[in-house]
Amino acid sequence: MYRRTGQGLLMLDTTSLEVYRYAVGHPGWTRTDASDALGLTLRRIEEAIHELSRRRLLSARPDDDELVAVSPDVALADLVDADERALQELKTRISGQRREMSGLVPSFLEARKSALTSTSVETLEDPHLIHRVLIEYGRDVTEKVYIAQPGQGSTADVHEESVRKDLDLLEHGVRRRTLYDTSTRDHVPTRKAVEAIGAGGGEFGVLPFIPLRILIFDEKLALIGRQRTRDDKAALVVRDHSLITIFTHLFDVAWETSEPFLAPQQPGSPLNSMQRSILQGLANGLSDESIARRLEINVRTCRRHIAFMLDALHADSRFQAALKAREAGWV
């Protein structure tokens, strides 16, 4: 008995609307009166009365069978009153639960920090928890942040967020040093991030190989990548002061042997940064698989670079290619 409007709302059909208008204009009406006046069968009148009653637009008097028309606003209040009360109760309950849970957040964070602090070395498997630790300690850092980042550079989106945070740290007098793999010099998002942070006072160096993923916050915390496999994202959270001192010393030694990230390339060298890193691996006698794993590239890509360099250097072997590249000043 409904018709659907263009907006998808269910409305009264024409018959029900006619009966409602008749009831409004004829107090004390009967079904027979409506049938005669509107030219509708009693069956259709009954159907219309059923729909109007469901909408609370018709109401029967308690002492007789007379049907009285009800104004739409009164009918609406009667129709949705129970639902509105239930909705209001639900909103009140949700609001109360939200306040209760929000009140527990400081206790949770404090208890979590106490639990973490009580352990010298903890393994975190969940990347979300690792991210939370980084946020908590990154917010409180006052002196230095040292980072050693193996493999290839991150995406432009990750670097964009990092640039904002690092520039804020630098403005507050925090020393920011990062070691990257030499191959990242040709990674455009990483290079742009280095240029932006470097302009704010950040320092960046490169090494042919970064063995460990390390993040050091002051003397308070060090995060060390576990790196059991290439896809292992777990981290060791180190809070022991002696261990943090050791990792800081290792970082300092690596920093002293590194080259500036933005140093000019070797003149006349046709090799990019990735290829120079591969050559360094060849000179150290590493296998294709080991080189690819260190640089976080697949073995096929590594071998394609090696084939190009053998041809460019007119070398008969991998070792000879490394020697010729050094003699030419390419690495």
Side-chain angles (χ1 to χ4, degrees), residues 194-214:
V194 169
E195 291 171 349
I197 300 170
E203 302 172 82
F204 295 86
V206 293
L207 289 170
F209 174 57
I210 307 292
L212 288 174
R213 180 173 283 105
I214 301 175

Side-chain angles (χ1 to χ4, degrees), residues 122-169:
E122 180 187 14
T123 301
L124 293 183
E125 305 273 356
D126 186 354
H128 176 70
L129 283 179
I130 296 172
H131 186 63
R132 289 299 310 167
V133 170
L134 289 173
I135 290 176
E136 288 178 23
Y137 282 86
R139 187 184 296 122
D140 298 332
V141 67
T142 58
E143 297 178 12
K144 63 188 176 186
V145 175
Y146 289 172
I147 300 175
Q149 184 68 37
Q152 298 302 291
S154 301
T155 64
D157 289 334
V158 172
H159 278 305
E160 183 179 20
E161 181 180 1
S162 175
V163 168
R164 290 195 300 268
K165 293 179 180 178
D166 290 340
L167 289 177
D168 184 60
L169 289 176

